[in-house]
Amino acid sequence: MPNAADLDDSQLLAVGDIGALLARYEPVIIGRCIARLNGSLDAEDVAQDVKLRLLGEFRRGKRYGDLPYRVIVHQVIGWTIGDHFAGRPTDVSLPEGWEPAPSGDHADEIVGRGWVEWVVRRVSGKDGQIIALRYRDLLEPGEIAERLDMEPGAVYQAIHRGLRKLGELSRA
Amino acid sequence: MTLQLFDEFAASFSGGNDPDLREFMARAGDEAAVLAQLVDSFLSGAEPPAPAPERVELMRAWVRGEPPLLELRKRRRLRRQELVKRLTELLGLTPDREPRVAFHYHRLESGLLEPRSVDRRVWDALRQALGADVQAIAAWRPAPIEAAPAYRAGGPVEVYSQLRPESSAAAPEDAEVDRLFLSGP
């Protein structure tokens, strides 16, 4: 479902401000490349190739209808990292006619729903509520404890339970 | 420990603080891969915080084919000579070595120097002189030039190939200075 940020992205795309779009997603691009390449120093090069590919697609006039731009960003990240691990060059444009396609794993749902919503659907009850307060509303554990009338220690335990379950799901 | 590190990273990222993932992975030790997996999931669905206005301008400059380091220096209203002088001082070098520092800095600013070959002390000095994470910006390889830029603020476009080349003849080789820019961290 498009959200307010998706609408902002659409407007930037419509006026041709690809620089502002890339500035917005750069931390995500670099972070995912570092994470997926396990900290390798090649990560920044791969991240740069992601940006160059996104710029290239934009200059080719590629627009993707109602698909949120963040979906495109994450697809290009996945595609480029895949090329890197397969030993294919990443400093080349995406193939002519490249179109985003679902990968079929939970990554699509995370991108589509947003991480917090994905978590809340999988971590039930109060633990899910606490995860949302921590990572969507950015409340400190002490603030969450006060809001939910809990002991801070219990909040920490709930966060850890939720993240532990996420860790299992991510590895599945 | 890993979950605590993830919590710290996620909160910092969402708060717009641009946390250093490699630093977190180093702290995770043997659990670095687990942390990386959690972070990758998180970043796949996290809404990125709004970028700082300066970061947006640097990226727009990069899209136009202009060196982002040059754009950063211009935004600081620093002439290259002033920055080179400051850089020389911060590196603990004597003024007579400024020409060689200038030679290498020009190449770095123009995107002609491999960032991985630059010593950490240079990045630290540039961070101090320019007040920004210069190392990250310097890693932006030049974007291909487009004939009709999609977005411009106005003024002449300085493309990498049009920058006046710094003559190495005026900057004789200097092993210590060369090591700072050519030997890696």
Side-chain angles (χ1 to χ4, degrees), chain B residues 119-152:
Chain B
D119 191 281
R120 180 176 210 84
R121 286 170 286 173
V122 175
W123 298 125
D124 290 344
L126 284 170
R127 184 195 299 264
Q128 228 179 307
L130 291 168
D133 183 0
V134 178
Q135 186 174 10
I137 294 164
W140 299 0
R141 289 199 310 281
I145 309 299
E146 190 183 45
Y151 190 96
R152 283 187 56 184

PDB file of all heavy atoms in Angstrom, chain B residues 119-152:
ATOM      1  N   ASP B 119      45.023   7.298   3.021  1.00  0.00           N
ATOM      2  CA  ASP B 119      45.246   7.010   4.439  1.00  0.00           C
ATOM      3  C   ASP B 119      44.129   7.603   5.307  1.00  0.00           C
ATOM      4  O   ASP B 119      43.595   8.679   5.014  1.00  0.00           O
ATOM      5  CB  ASP B 119      46.600   7.598   4.851  1.00  0.00           C
ATOM      6  CG  ASP B 119      47.038   7.135   6.229  1.00  0.00           C
ATOM      7  OD1 ASP B 119      46.541   7.689   7.235  1.00  0.00           O
ATOM      8  OD2 ASP B 119      47.872   6.219   6.303  1.00  0.00           O
ATOM      9  N   ARG B 120      43.826   6.905   6.379  1.00  0.00           N
ATOM     10  CA  ARG B 120      42.785   7.336   7.305  1.00  0.00           C
ATOM     11  C   ARG B 120      43.035   8.743   7.850  1.00  0.00           C
ATOM     12  O   ARG B 120      42.105   9.505   8.100  1.00  0.00           O
ATOM     13  CB  ARG B 120      42.733   6.350   8.472  1.00  0.00           C
ATOM     14  CG  ARG B 120      41.682   6.690   9.505  1.00  0.00           C
ATOM     15  CD  ARG B 120      41.608   5.634  10.596  1.00  0.00           C
ATOM     16  NE  ARG B 120      40.272   5.558  11.111  1.00  0.00           N
ATOM     17  CZ  ARG B 120      39.284   4.851  10.586  1.00  0.00           C
ATOM     18  NH1 ARG B 120      39.497   4.139   9.516  1.00  0.00           N
ATOM     19  NH2 ARG B 120      38.081   4.850  11.105  1.00  0.00           N
ATOM     20  N   ARG B 121      44.332   9.105   8.001  1.00  0.00           N
ATOM     21  CA  ARG B 121      44.645  10.427   8.556  1.00  0.00           C
ATOM     22  C   ARG B 121      44.157  11.544   7.626  1.00  0.00           C
ATOM     23  O   ARG B 121      43.753  12.613   8.085  1.00  0.00           O
ATOM     24  CB  ARG B 121      46.152  10.561   8.783  1.00  0.00           C
ATOM     25  CG  ARG B 121      46.652   9.769   9.992  1.00  0.00           C
ATOM     26  CD  ARG B 121      48.164   9.727  10.033  1.00  0.00           C
ATOM     27  NE  ARG B 121      48.688   8.825   9.028  1.00  0.00           N
ATOM     28  CZ  ARG B 121      49.978   8.703   8.746  1.00  0.00           C
ATOM     29  NH1 ARG B 121      50.875   9.428   9.372  1.00  0.00           N
ATOM     30  NH2 ARG B 121      50.386   7.845   7.837  1.00  0.00           N
ATOM     31  N   VAL B 122      44.187  11.279   6.321  1.00  0.00           N
ATOM     32  CA  VAL B 122      43.707  12.287   5.365  1.00  0.00           C
ATOM     33  C   VAL B 122      42.203  12.473   5.541  1.00  0.00           C
ATOM     34  O   VAL B 122      41.695  13.595   5.579  1.00  0.00           O
ATOM     35  CB  VAL B 122      44.041  11.870   3.917  1.00  0.00           C
ATOM     36  CG1 VAL B 122      43.440  12.854   2.928  1.00  0.00           C
ATOM     37  CG2 VAL B 122      45.551  11.764   3.727  1.00  0.00           C
ATOM     38  N   TRP B 123      41.476  11.345   5.655  1.00  0.00           N
ATOM     39  CA  TRP B 123      40.020  11.445   5.845  1.00  0.00           C
ATOM     40  C   TRP B 123      39.683  12.171   7.144  1.00  0.00           C
ATOM     41  O   TRP B 123      38.773  12.996   7.191  1.00  0.00           O
ATOM     42  CB  TRP B 123      39.370  10.058   5.850  1.00  0.00           C
ATOM     43  CG  TRP B 123      39.533   9.287   4.582  1.00  0.00           C
ATOM     44  CD1 TRP B 123      40.055   8.043   4.438  1.00  0.00           C
ATOM     45  CD2 TRP B 123      39.164   9.697   3.257  1.00  0.00           C
ATOM     46  NE1 TRP B 123      40.046   7.654   3.124  1.00  0.00           N
ATOM     47  CE2 TRP B 123      39.500   8.654   2.375  1.00  0.00           C
ATOM     48  CE3 TRP B 123      38.589  10.851   2.727  1.00  0.00           C
ATOM     49  CZ2 TRP B 123      39.272   8.717   1.002  1.00  0.00           C
ATOM     50  CZ3 TRP B 123      38.364  10.928   1.365  1.00  0.00           C
ATOM     51  CH2 TRP B 123      38.708   9.866   0.521  1.00  0.00           C
ATOM     52  N   ASP B 124      40.409  11.844   8.200  1.00  0.00           N
ATOM     53  CA  ASP B 124      40.147  12.508   9.476  1.00  0.00           C
ATOM     54  C   ASP B 124      40.404  14.008   9.369  1.00  0.00           C
ATOM     55  O   ASP B 124      39.641  14.821   9.885  1.00  0.00           O
ATOM     56  CB  ASP B 124      41.040  11.910  10.585  1.00  0.00           C
ATOM     57  CG  ASP B 124      40.645  10.493  10.965  1.00  0.00           C
ATOM     58  OD1 ASP B 124      39.508  10.087  10.603  1.00  0.00           O
ATOM     59  OD2 ASP B 124      41.452   9.786  11.596  1.00  0.00           O
ATOM     60  N   ALA B 125      41.482  14.372   8.674  1.00  0.00           N
ATOM     61  CA  ALA B 125      41.814  15.787   8.518  1.00  0.00           C
ATOM     62  C   ALA B 125      40.759  16.500   7.672  1.00  0.00           C
ATOM     63  O   ALA B 125      40.343  17.615   7.982  1.00  0.00           O
ATOM     64  CB  ALA B 125      43.196  15.938   7.880  1.00  0.00           C
ATOM     65  N   LEU B 126      40.310  15.833   6.608  1.00  0.00           N
ATOM     66  CA  LEU B 126      39.285  16.445   5.751  1.00  0.00           C
ATOM     67  C   LEU B 126      37.954  16.565   6.486  1.00  0.00           C
ATOM     68  O   LEU B 126      37.218  17.542   6.308  1.00  0.00           O
ATOM     69  CB  LEU B 126      39.111  15.631   4.465  1.00  0.00           C
ATOM     70  CG  LEU B 126      40.223  15.818   3.430  1.00  0.00           C
ATOM     71  CD1 LEU B 126      40.098  14.799   2.303  1.00  0.00           C
ATOM     72  CD2 LEU B 126      40.208  17.240   2.865  1.00  0.00           C
ATOM     73  N   ARG B 127      37.654  15.578   7.323  1.00  0.00           N
ATOM     74  CA  ARG B 127      36.417  15.653   8.104  1.00  0.00           C
ATOM     75  C   ARG B 127      36.468  16.871   9.021  1.00  0.00           C
ATOM     76  O   ARG B 127      35.487  17.599   9.170  1.00  0.00           O
ATOM     77  CB  ARG B 127      36.245  14.393   8.941  1.00  0.00           C
ATOM     78  CG  ARG B 127      34.923  14.343   9.731  1.00  0.00           C
ATOM     79  CD  ARG B 127      34.969  13.277  10.816  1.00  0.00           C
ATOM     80  NE  ARG B 127      35.170  11.963  10.247  1.00  0.00           N
ATOM     81  CZ  ARG B 127      34.184  11.102   9.979  1.00  0.00           C
ATOM     82  NH1 ARG B 127      32.944  11.430  10.227  1.00  0.00           N
ATOM     83  NH2 ARG B 127      34.456   9.913   9.475  1.00  0.00           N
ATOM     84  N   GLN B 128      37.658  17.088   9.592  1.00  0.00           N
ATOM     85  CA  GLN B 128      37.812  18.247  10.473  1.00  0.00           C
ATOM     86  C   GLN B 128      37.711  19.551   9.693  1.00  0.00           C
ATOM     87  O   GLN B 128      37.088  20.517  10.129  1.00  0.00           O
ATOM     88  CB  GLN B 128      39.201  18.179  11.139  1.00  0.00           C
ATOM     89  CG  GLN B 128      39.172  18.388  12.635  1.00  0.00           C
ATOM     90  CD  GLN B 128      40.553  18.284  13.246  1.00  0.00           C
ATOM     91  OE1 GLN B 128      41.249  17.304  13.027  1.00  0.00           O
ATOM     92  NE2 GLN B 128      40.939  19.294  13.993  1.00  0.00           N
ATOM     93  N   ALA B 129      38.328  19.559   8.506  1.00  0.00           N
ATOM     94  CA  ALA B 129      38.373  20.797   7.727  1.00  0.00           C
ATOM     95  C   ALA B 129      37.022  21.128   7.098  1.00  0.00           C
ATOM     96  O   ALA B 129      36.668  22.304   6.963  1.00  0.00           O
ATOM     97  CB  ALA B 129      39.442  20.684   6.636  1.00  0.00           C
ATOM     98  N   LEU B 130      36.265  20.096   6.704  1.00  0.00           N
ATOM     99  CA  LEU B 130      35.027  20.338   5.966  1.00  0.00           C
ATOM    100  C   LEU B 130      33.766  20.024   6.776  1.00  0.00           C
ATOM    101  O   LEU B 130      32.651  20.323   6.334  1.00  0.00           O
ATOM    102  CB  LEU B 130      35.024  19.501   4.675  1.00  0.00           C
ATOM    103  CG  LEU B 130      36.052  19.952   3.630  1.00  0.00           C
ATOM    104  CD1 LEU B 130      36.194  18.909   2.516  1.00  0.00           C
ATOM    105  CD2 LEU B 130      35.643  21.292   3.021  1.00  0.00           C
ATOM    106  N   GLY B 131      33.944  19.388   7.920  1.00  0.00           N
ATOM    107  CA  GLY B 131      32.773  19.118   8.764  1.00  0.00           C
ATOM    108  C   GLY B 131      31.803  18.144   8.135  1.00  0.00           C
ATOM    109  O   GLY B 131      30.579  18.305   8.256  1.00  0.00           O
ATOM    110  N   ALA B 132      32.310  17.130   7.420  1.00  0.00           N
ATOM    111  CA  ALA B 132      31.427  16.156   6.776  1.00  0.00           C
ATOM    112  C   ALA B 132      32.197  14.850   6.603  1.00  0.00           C
ATOM    113  O   ALA B 132      33.424  14.825   6.681  1.00  0.00           O
ATOM    114  CB  ALA B 132      30.954  16.673   5.425  1.00  0.00           C
ATOM    115  N   ASP B 133      31.439  13.764   6.388  1.00  0.00           N
ATOM    116  CA  ASP B 133      32.062  12.456   6.139  1.00  0.00           C
ATOM    117  C   ASP B 133      32.573  12.430   4.702  1.00  0.00           C
ATOM    118  O   ASP B 133      31.914  11.917   3.799  1.00  0.00           O
ATOM    119  CB  ASP B 133      31.046  11.339   6.389  1.00  0.00           C
ATOM    120  CG  ASP B 133      31.670   9.952   6.226  1.00  0.00           C
ATOM    121  OD1 ASP B 133      32.871   9.863   5.920  1.00  0.00           O
ATOM    122  OD2 ASP B 133      30.935   8.962   6.400  1.00  0.00           O
ATOM    123  N   VAL B 134      33.758  12.978   4.507  1.00  0.00           N
ATOM    124  CA  VAL B 134      34.310  13.149   3.159  1.00  0.00           C
ATOM    125  C   VAL B 134      34.591  11.789   2.517  1.00  0.00           C
ATOM    126  O   VAL B 134      34.434  11.623   1.307  1.00  0.00           O
ATOM    127  CB  VAL B 134      35.587  14.007   3.229  1.00  0.00           C
ATOM    128  CG1 VAL B 134      36.215  14.157   1.859  1.00  0.00           C
ATOM    129  CG2 VAL B 134      35.264  15.367   3.818  1.00  0.00           C
ATOM    130  N   GLN B 135      35.002  10.818   3.318  1.00  0.00           N
ATOM    131  CA  GLN B 135      35.343   9.505   2.767  1.00  0.00           C
ATOM    132  C   GLN B 135      34.146   8.896   2.042  1.00  0.00           C
ATOM    133  O   GLN B 135      34.284   8.350   0.940  1.00  0.00           O
ATOM    134  CB  GLN B 135      35.811   8.583   3.889  1.00  0.00           C
ATOM    135  CG  GLN B 135      36.330   7.248   3.384  1.00  0.00           C
ATOM    136  CD  GLN B 135      36.930   6.400   4.483  1.00  0.00           C
ATOM    137  OE1 GLN B 135      36.816   6.717   5.671  1.00  0.00           O
ATOM    138  NE2 GLN B 135      37.565   5.316   4.110  1.00  0.00           N
ATOM    139  N   ALA B 136      32.964   8.980   2.639  1.00  0.00           N
ATOM    140  CA  ALA B 136      31.769   8.414   2.015  1.00  0.00           C
ATOM    141  C   ALA B 136      31.446   9.134   0.705  1.00  0.00           C
ATOM    142  O   ALA B 136      31.095   8.527  -0.298  1.00  0.00           O
ATOM    143  CB  ALA B 136      30.586   8.503   2.973  1.00  0.00           C
ATOM    144  N   ILE B 137      31.586  10.450   0.722  1.00  0.00           N
ATOM    145  CA  ILE B 137      31.256  11.249  -0.465  1.00  0.00           C
ATOM    146  C   ILE B 137      32.268  10.991  -1.579  1.00  0.00           C
ATOM    147  O   ILE B 137      31.923  10.906  -2.757  1.00  0.00           O
ATOM    148  CB  ILE B 137      31.227  12.742  -0.096  1.00  0.00           C
ATOM    149  CG1 ILE B 137      30.072  13.001   0.878  1.00  0.00           C
ATOM    150  CG2 ILE B 137      31.056  13.615  -1.330  1.00  0.00           C
ATOM    151  CD1 ILE B 137      30.177  14.326   1.588  1.00  0.00           C
ATOM    152  N   ALA B 138      33.543  10.849  -1.194  1.00  0.00           N
ATOM    153  CA  ALA B 138      34.588  10.633  -2.206  1.00  0.00           C
ATOM    154  C   ALA B 138      34.407   9.296  -2.921  1.00  0.00           C
ATOM    155  O   ALA B 138      34.914   9.105  -4.020  1.00  0.00           O
ATOM    156  CB  ALA B 138      35.967  10.686  -1.549  1.00  0.00           C
ATOM    157  N   ALA B 139      33.673   8.364  -2.300  1.00  0.00           N
ATOM    158  CA  ALA B 139      33.468   7.048  -2.918  1.00  0.00           C
ATOM    159  C   ALA B 139      32.434   7.093  -4.029  1.00  0.00           C
ATOM    160  O   ALA B 139      32.252   6.102  -4.743  1.00  0.00           O
ATOM    161  CB  ALA B 139      33.039   6.039  -1.855  1.00  0.00           C
ATOM    162  N   TRP B 140      31.755   8.218  -4.226  1.00  0.00           N
ATOM    163  CA  TRP B 140      30.757   8.327  -5.292  1.00  0.00           C
ATOM    164  C   TRP B 140      31.478   8.445  -6.630  1.00  0.00           C
ATOM    165  O   TRP B 140      31.992   9.508  -6.984  1.00  0.00           O
ATOM    166  CB  TRP B 140      29.868   9.542  -5.119  1.00  0.00           C
ATOM    167  CG  TRP B 140      29.063   9.567  -3.860  1.00  0.00           C
ATOM    168  CD1 TRP B 140      29.043   8.624  -2.881  1.00  0.00           C
ATOM    169  CD2 TRP B 140      28.171  10.585  -3.425  1.00  0.00           C
ATOM    170  NE1 TRP B 140      28.194   8.995  -1.871  1.00  0.00           N
ATOM    171  CE2 TRP B 140      27.647  10.193  -2.185  1.00  0.00           C
ATOM    172  CE3 TRP B 140      27.766  11.814  -3.973  1.00  0.00           C
ATOM    173  CZ2 TRP B 140      26.735  10.962  -1.479  1.00  0.00           C
ATOM    174  CZ3 TRP B 140      26.854  12.588  -3.275  1.00  0.00           C
ATOM    175  CH2 TRP B 140      26.347  12.163  -2.035  1.00  0.00           C
ATOM    176  N   ARG B 141      31.516   7.339  -7.372  1.00  0.00           N
ATOM    177  CA  ARG B 141      32.180   7.402  -8.669  1.00  0.00           C
ATOM    178  C   ARG B 141      31.383   8.318  -9.597  1.00  0.00           C
ATOM    179  O   ARG B 141      30.164   8.410  -9.476  1.00  0.00           O
ATOM    180  CB  ARG B 141      32.290   6.011  -9.287  1.00  0.00           C
ATOM    181  CG  ARG B 141      33.281   5.106  -8.578  1.00  0.00           C
ATOM    182  CD  ARG B 141      33.704   3.952  -9.470  1.00  0.00           C
ATOM    183  NE  ARG B 141      32.564   3.264 -10.059  1.00  0.00           N
ATOM    184  CZ  ARG B 141      31.806   2.382  -9.435  1.00  0.00           C
ATOM    185  NH1 ARG B 141      32.033   2.065  -8.192  1.00  0.00           N
ATOM    186  NH2 ARG B 141      30.792   1.805 -10.055  1.00  0.00           N
ATOM    187  N   PRO B 142      32.086   8.956 -10.550  1.00  0.00           N
ATOM    188  CA  PRO B 142      31.393   9.946 -11.393  1.00  0.00           C
ATOM    189  C   PRO B 142      30.192   9.338 -12.109  1.00  0.00           C
ATOM    190  O   PRO B 142      30.266   8.249 -12.676  1.00  0.00           O
ATOM    191  CB  PRO B 142      32.471  10.362 -12.398  1.00  0.00           C
ATOM    192  CG  PRO B 142      33.762  10.051 -11.722  1.00  0.00           C
ATOM    193  CD  PRO B 142      33.503   8.861 -10.850  1.00  0.00           C
ATOM    194  N   ALA B 143      29.093  10.085 -12.105  1.00  0.00           N
ATOM    195  CA  ALA B 143      27.916   9.674 -12.872  1.00  0.00           C
ATOM    196  C   ALA B 143      28.148  10.055 -14.326  1.00  0.00           C
ATOM    197  O   ALA B 143      28.789  11.068 -14.607  1.00  0.00           O
ATOM    198  CB  ALA B 143      26.669  10.363 -12.328  1.00  0.00           C
ATOM    199  N   PRO B 144      27.639   9.280 -15.279  1.00  0.00           N
ATOM    200  CA  PRO B 144      27.781   9.641 -16.680  1.00  0.00           C
ATOM    201  C   PRO B 144      27.117  10.989 -16.935  1.00  0.00           C
ATOM    202  O   PRO B 144      26.070  11.291 -16.351  1.00  0.00           O
ATOM    203  CB  PRO B 144      27.038   8.542 -17.440  1.00  0.00           C
ATOM    204  CG  PRO B 144      26.727   7.505 -16.451  1.00  0.00           C
ATOM    205  CD  PRO B 144      26.836   8.077 -15.093  1.00  0.00           C
ATOM    206  N   ILE B 145      27.728  11.816 -17.811  1.00  0.00           N
ATOM    207  CA  ILE B 145      27.180  13.134 -18.098  1.00  0.00           C
ATOM    208  C   ILE B 145      25.995  12.987 -19.037  1.00  0.00           C
ATOM    209  O   ILE B 145      26.058  12.230 -19.997  1.00  0.00           O
ATOM    210  CB  ILE B 145      28.237  14.043 -18.771  1.00  0.00           C
ATOM    211  CG1 ILE B 145      29.520  14.035 -17.956  1.00  0.00           C
ATOM    212  CG2 ILE B 145      27.706  15.445 -18.953  1.00  0.00           C
ATOM    213  CD1 ILE B 145      29.343  14.543 -16.559  1.00  0.00           C
ATOM    214  N   GLU B 146      24.926  13.725 -18.716  1.00  0.00           N
ATOM    215  CA  GLU B 146      23.785  13.728 -19.617  1.00  0.00           C
ATOM    216  C   GLU B 146      23.774  15.064 -20.340  1.00  0.00           C
ATOM    217  O   GLU B 146      24.044  16.094 -19.733  1.00  0.00           O
ATOM    218  CB  GLU B 146      22.502  13.549 -18.825  1.00  0.00           C
ATOM    219  CG  GLU B 146      21.285  13.303 -19.692  1.00  0.00           C
ATOM    220  CD  GLU B 146      20.034  13.197 -18.857  1.00  0.00           C
ATOM    221  OE1 GLU B 146      19.853  14.018 -17.962  1.00  0.00           O
ATOM    222  OE2 GLU B 146      19.228  12.298 -19.124  1.00  0.00           O
ATOM    223  N   ALA B 147      23.383  15.096 -21.609  1.00  0.00           N
ATOM    224  CA  ALA B 147      23.414  16.327 -22.403  1.00  0.00           C
ATOM    225  C   ALA B 147      22.471  17.370 -21.844  1.00  0.00           C
ATOM    226  O   ALA B 147      22.779  18.542 -21.761  1.00  0.00           O
ATOM    227  CB  ALA B 147      23.063  16.029 -23.854  1.00  0.00           C
ATOM    228  N   ALA B 148      21.300  16.934 -21.390  1.00  0.00           N
ATOM    229  CA  ALA B 148      20.312  17.887 -20.861  1.00  0.00           C
ATOM    230  C   ALA B 148      20.039  17.509 -19.424  1.00  0.00           C
ATOM    231  O   ALA B 148      19.234  16.638 -19.163  1.00  0.00           O
ATOM    232  CB  ALA B 148      19.032  17.829 -21.679  1.00  0.00           C
ATOM    233  N   PRO B 149      20.752  18.124 -18.479  1.00  0.00           N
ATOM    234  CA  PRO B 149      20.570  17.755 -17.083  1.00  0.00           C
ATOM    235  C   PRO B 149      19.125  17.879 -16.642  1.00  0.00           C
ATOM    236  O   PRO B 149      18.446  18.816 -17.030  1.00  0.00           O
ATOM    237  CB  PRO B 149      21.451  18.742 -16.307  1.00  0.00           C
ATOM    238  CG  PRO B 149      22.449  19.213 -17.300  1.00  0.00           C
ATOM    239  CD  PRO B 149      21.761  19.181 -18.624  1.00  0.00           C
ATOM    240  N   ALA B 150      18.661  16.907 -15.841  1.00  0.00           N
ATOM    241  CA  ALA B 150      17.260  16.897 -15.415  1.00  0.00           C
ATOM    242  C   ALA B 150      16.995  17.972 -14.376  1.00  0.00           C
ATOM    243  O   ALA B 150      15.895  18.466 -14.250  1.00  0.00           O
ATOM    244  CB  ALA B 150      16.897  15.536 -14.859  1.00  0.00           C
ATOM    245  N   TYR B 151      18.011  18.333 -13.616  1.00  0.00           N
ATOM    246  CA  TYR B 151      17.775  19.283 -12.529  1.00  0.00           C
ATOM    247  C   TYR B 151      19.032  20.098 -12.319  1.00  0.00           C
ATOM    248  O   TYR B 151      20.081  19.577 -12.060  1.00  0.00           O
ATOM    249  CB  TYR B 151      17.438  18.517 -11.238  1.00  0.00           C
ATOM    250  CG  TYR B 151      16.943  19.415 -10.123  1.00  0.00           C
ATOM    251  CD1 TYR B 151      15.582  19.587  -9.901  1.00  0.00           C
ATOM    252  CD2 TYR B 151      17.830  20.101  -9.307  1.00  0.00           C
ATOM    253  CE1 TYR B 151      15.121  20.399  -8.899  1.00  0.00           C
ATOM    254  CE2 TYR B 151      17.362  20.938  -8.296  1.00  0.00           C
ATOM    255  CZ  TYR B 151      16.006  21.078  -8.096  1.00  0.00           C
ATOM    256  OH  TYR B 151      15.534  21.888  -7.096  1.00  0.00           O
ATOM    257  N   ARG B 152      18.944  21.377 -12.459  1.00  0.00           N
ATOM    258  CA  ARG B 152      20.116  22.228 -12.260  1.00  0.00           C
ATOM    259  C   ARG B 152      19.756  23.435 -11.444  1.00  0.00           C
ATOM    260  O   ARG B 152      18.666  23.988 -11.576  1.00  0.00           O
ATOM    261  CB  ARG B 152      20.652  22.701 -13.605  1.00  0.00           C
ATOM    262  CG  ARG B 152      21.447  21.664 -14.366  1.00  0.00           C
ATOM    263  CD  ARG B 152      22.076  22.256 -15.597  1.00  0.00           C
ATOM    264  NE  ARG B 152      22.916  23.400 -15.248  1.00  0.00           N
ATOM    265  CZ  ARG B 152      23.531  24.151 -16.154  1.00  0.00           C
ATOM    266  NH1 ARG B 152      23.385  23.907 -17.424  1.00  0.00           N
ATOM    267  NH2 ARG B 152      24.260  25.174 -15.795  1.00  0.00           N
TER     268      ARG B 152
END
